[in-house]
Amino acid sequence: MSAWQAELLATAFLPDQFPDATVPEIAFLGRSNVGKSTLLNALMGRRLAHVSGTPGKTSSINFFDVRHARPFRLVDLPGYGFASRCQKERARWQKLIESYLADRESLLLSIQLVDFRHGLLENDRHLQEWTNRIGLPVQLVFTKVDKISRGRRKSVLAAYHKAGFFSLTEPLLVSGTDRTGIEELRSFIEGIVAESRPQ
Ligand SMILES: Nc1nc2c(ncn2[C@@H]2O[C@H](COP(=O)(O)OP(=O)(O)O)[C@@H](O)[C@H]2O)c(=O)[nH]1
Ligand SMILES: [Mg+2]
């Protein structure tokens, strides 16, 4: 399997800027700096998403069209948990994310990214409770696994299992840097799209 052919379709700062919901969508969300842009770029095989050393920069939702036998979209949601954003800006951004996740009829699944070194932090858990309450399926994906040695990964994951979380299937372990788990995540997403009803 090779990288997907993808292109940026739309950037939305407001719900009325969302493109028509004509294609199945997979949304990516996580705390700022979790490695979301790096992962999206690894999946798409192109630097379409902006990688930043400064967390909390992106406040728009970006829609990427993936060319495929069954076309679908990857949706890059703004990172959460960045405290120093001003309150008004934070409220706008929360409304934007929530209106997308709660109302988007073409949304199949959201992929929640969590840094493998930290596990689920308080705002990750709040998001899990909220998505669970609105009935949105969530797949957990742990990022930056290259920062933990192979030998330790199993016990780290077991500790997170013990602490508890919601995930559609067993969490996937990925690294956008050394490409661990990228092919598995691609197949997982293609499987979700293949199982979905035609729109
Ligand atoms: N070691 C390691 N660093 C990563 C990985 N993914 C991202 N980073 C670094 O983490 C920082 C934030 O990455 P970015 O993709 O912009 O995160 P985002 O804010 O979630 O979009 C950057 O300095 C990246 O180089 C990874 O898989 N492994
Ligand atoms: Mg980013």
Side-chain angles (χ1 to χ4, degrees), residues 31-38 51-52 144 146-147 175-177:
R31 291 166 57 83
S32 299
N33 218 38
V34 71
K36 182 160 52 65
S37 300
T38 303
V51 175
S52 168
K144 305 193 186 183
D146 59 286
K147 298 266 195 179
S175 163
T177 303

